[in-house]
Amino acid sequence: MNIEGKKIIWSQYQKEIADNDYFYARSCVRQSFFPGSETTFMKIVRDDLGKNISEHPFHTTCTGIAYHSDVVPFETTMTVIARQFALMTESGFQNYVPSCITSFGMYNEVLETWHHFPEVEMKVRKMLKEATGKEFEKPKNLVHSSDIIYKFRKEIAEKGKYRLINRFTGEPIRVVEHIGCHYSKMFPSKGVGGAEYPHVLVGMIEEWGGEVVDYPERRHCCGFGFRQYVVKANRGYSIACSKKKFESMQPYRPEAILTNCPGCPFFFDRWQYAISEMEGKTYGENGQGIPVLTYEELAGIILGYDPWDLGFQTHQVPVEPLLDKIGIPYDPEKKFLGKNGEFIGRPDMPDNLKFCH
Amino acid sequence: MGWLYDLMSKDVRFVEGLKACINCGTCTAICPAAEFYNYDPRILVTTLQTRDDEKIEALLKSDFIWYCGECMSCKTRCPRGNVPGGLISVCRSFSQDLGYFIESEKGRQQLAVKRTIGEWILDHGYCLFPQQIEPESHPEQGPVWEWITNSLKEVYGRFDATYQEEGPGILRKIPQDSLDELKRIFDVTGGTERFEKLEEYSKKKAEEMGLEFSPGQKSEYYLHVYNFNSNKHGKDEH
């Protein structure tokens, strides 16, 4: 066996993830639909891992959904991204960490374009200067925020209060993972494990005691499709893609779905509800759905954060059945409290999907 | 080679995405859109490869280019380094800039994308703006979203004190200076021009179709393009 040769091959599936000093860029989708996840990420990186992480109040959308729905030209998107890099530069950082997978893919696309077409980079620099007066350095290290949690998964396990073990059976919790398409399908070398062996979520699940469950449609898209969801008339595309995945994973009895893209957990959560309303079908045990988690939420569970601080009350598919299996305490009376701790009413009950009030 | 092919060749994504297609069909096998719609990325690449302007113009005026979800699964798998998903983006760009998009049902929907995602970017600095994601336009969001939208400040405020306030944090208020910078970027880079063309061509089509056209999301034409589905897009419908 030629070990050196193997090392060279596997090195293509590794990526450099900076050890500290991160410039964080928030995600439009994650902020809106999983607001607890970004707050949790900042707390974990700052408080539990003791790292330096900063964000800039002036940073905006990268135009991602509009770019991939094609109402915004590539030149516009590149220049908006250049402005984000300028904010990073002004703040004295070199390691750029977007929360959004669509953004992560676009930052990679822009940097690759500039690498192959330096004249395009020069043009963008001129346009940014003309529009804003700003200049920028390119990031020294560009990783997705799930890469940071992956890098420190062992430290999180060591500090953790819980493991992904069913307390009633002693068996590992069975988890299916779903990697956002733009994490590594466009530029495989930019993702941990590439497009063939994406390990970023598998590494977390296994390190924290769970069992990764394989299923035939594991790498199929969640069905966002940008304009295919944004426009109401097209949403059949989106729900059909998610349904194909649910049907494929159900026979393997997953107890949770773990995701790293902000959009995918939203679609897996809401389309399970919509399918239950349309067809009366549910994919979890006993009329429940399969709980869908972001990697920040899963890390938060392991570290013992309060489930309502993680934001599980914003999920349509309840996460309580998973919490019960692991033995994570929560106070149902505190689920629907507002910012000052007062009760703000409860959502209506779905017709078919079991919900936890 | 005609003027249209020449024009498209000026986009770096066209240069990078169109090598030599060997018609293996791997992209089609993995494509989620090809499974749902009467769509085939292999046909897209072979059509562009003909360099026949007549065929390319027909393509840009058709529903075909609007079916792709830009998941980019095709890029991973193409053995010749073609990027059908990227070529779709180039096709859509020129379809809009040349006014061809109004000739197809799916193309006409671009006005709805511009008036939601596009305008939220310039008005608020985000691609999504929860205040304007109304439960009635999004029944799939379920009762939890209705609960969130009924108490936005309370729900989001539980996670970050800066919700719609100045300073860092989730869904913070983007300062006017930053929004002004975004607008100037759009002006300088062609974003504003694209938005204006989307409006201008859509207005023309609305007149042709006899539908009322006005700003916002309530006009007859807007509601038509946002909601109408002829159901003639699947494989069985042809």
Side-chain angles (χ1 to χ4, degrees), chain B residues 2-148:
Chain B
W3 69 273
L4 185 52
Y5 184 88
D6 281 349
L7 191 64
M8 293 173 80
S9 303
K10 289 185 177 135
D11 190 314
V12 291
R13 298 170 302 170
F14 198 79
V15 179
E16 285 289 277
L18 187 59
K19 314 276 191 224
C21 173
I22 54 170
N23 268 298
C24 67
T26 305
C27 54
T28 307
I30 203 168
C31 175
E35 205 172 349
F36 187 76
Y37 285 128
N38 187 29
Y39 176 67
D40 185 333
R42 182 184 62 87
I43 299 287
L44 168 83
V45 181
T46 52
T47 304
L48 294 172
Q49 217 169 231
T50 63
R51 305 187 176 199
D52 181 332
D53 266 9
E54 217 169 289
K55 286 182 181 166
I56 295 172
E57 185 178 324
L59 188 70
L60 302 194
K61 287 181 175 173
S62 71
D63 282 315
F64 189 92
I65 59 167
W66 304 101
Y67 293 144
C68 167
E70 296 195 14
C71 70
M72 300 294 172
S73 301
C74 50
K75 182 179 188 300
T76 318
R77 293 287 171 230
C78 178
R80 286 293 177 271
N82 296 298
V83 190
L87 295 171
I88 278 291
S89 194
V90 179
C91 288
R92 290 176 178 176
S93 295
F94 285 101
S95 177
Q96 292 168 111
D97 294 344
L98 297 167
Y100 296 164
F101 71 102
I102 55 167
E103 303 302 329
S104 67
E105 175 190 325
K106 295 290 183 191
R108 288 192 284 276
Q109 295 170 339
Q110 287 305 89
L111 180 77
V113 180
K114 181 260 171 188
R115 288 202 182 168
T116 50
I117 307 292
E119 292 185 7
W120 293 337
I121 289 174
L122 292 177
D123 293 346
H124 308 291
Y126 297 105
C127 269
L128 287 182
F129 196 61
Q131 283 92 323
Q132 292 178 345
I133 303 173
E134 296 165 351
E136 54 268 32
S137 302
H138 294 270
E140 77 287 350
Q141 289 257 12
V144 161
W145 183 248
E146 201 170 349
W147 172 75
I148 292 171

Side-chain angles (χ1 to χ4, degrees), chain A residues 32 59 70 227 229 244, chain B residues 35 70 89 106 140 156:
Chain A
S32 299
H59 96 70
D70 299 290
R227 72 187 307 283
Y229 174 74
K244 180 181 166 120
Chain B
E35 205 172 349
E70 296 195 14
S89 194
K106 295 290 183 191
E140 77 287 350
Y156 289 120

Side-chain angles (χ1 to χ4, degrees), chain A residues 192-251:
Chain A
V192 176
E196 301 294 344
Y197 310 103
H199 198 250
V200 62
L201 296 177
V202 168
M204 293 180 207
I205 296 163
E206 291 183 342
E207 191 65 45
W208 299 338
E211 179 188 347
V212 176
V213 182
D214 198 7
Y215 67 104
E217 297 297 345
R218 186 171 172 181
R219 299 294 170 226
H220 198 72
C221 175
C222 71
F224 182 9
F226 304 99
R227 72 187 307 283
Q228 313 304 350
Y229 174 74
V230 169
V231 179
K232 195 175 183 181
N234 299 343
R235 287 182 196 148
Y237 169 102
S238 184
I239 195 170
C241 286
S242 282
K243 186 176 181 193
K244 180 181 166 120
K245 290 184 70 85
F246 299 143
E247 296 285 336
S248 174
M249 70 175 73
Q250 189 185 28

Side-chain angles (χ1 to χ4, degrees), chain A residues 59-162:
Chain A
H59 96 70
T60 65
T61 175
C62 67
T63 75
I65 301 174
Y67 172 63
H68 281 296
S69 299
D70 299 290
V71 291
V72 168
F74 192 34
E75 287 73 14
T76 306
T77 290
M78 285 192 286
T79 313
V80 171
I81 284 174
R83 180 181 175 275
Q84 315 278 53
F85 290 160
L87 295 175
M88 175 196 74
T89 307
E90 284 169 18
S91 305
F93 285 83
Q94 295 182 306
N95 304 322
Y96 198 95
V97 184
S99 163
C100 177
I101 290 283
T102 300
S103 302
F104 177 65
M106 285 170 49
Y107 291 128
N108 278 314
E109 182 181 354
V110 168
L111 290 172
E112 284 292 302
T113 299
W114 292 350
H115 177 70
H116 292 287
F117 301 91
E119 69 279 12
V120 175
E121 180 184 337
M122 289 303 115
K123 188 179 167 192
V124 169
R125 285 183 181 278
K126 271 180 75 175
M127 291 191 292
L128 181 71
K129 184 90 176 162
E130 185 186 339
T132 68
K134 290 185 188 301
E135 293 178 345
F136 68 94
E137 299 291 327
K138 287 182 279 189
K140 192 173 158 194
N141 187 243
L142 170 69
V143 297
H144 182 250
S145 45
S146 61
D147 293 327
I148 308 282
I149 298 295
Y150 171 82
K151 182 180 177 75
F152 296 110
R153 65 196 185 282
K154 290 180 197 298
E155 287 83 344
I156 290 170
E158 279 165 20
K159 289 173 188 288
K161 290 185 180 167
Y162 300 98

Side-chain angles (χ1 to χ4, degrees), chain A residues 126 168 185 258 274 355:
Chain A
K126 271 180 75 175
F168 303 111
K185 283 184 181 175
L258 183 65
F355 192 69

Side-chain angles (χ1 to χ4, degrees), chain A residues 300-321:
Chain A
I301 283 181
I302 299 300
L303 288 164
Y305 283 40
D306 185 295
W308 311 136
D309 289 341
L310 296 174
F312 288 137
Q313 63 274 40
T314 65
H315 292 226
Q316 184 61 62
V317 176
V319 180
E320 284 93 325

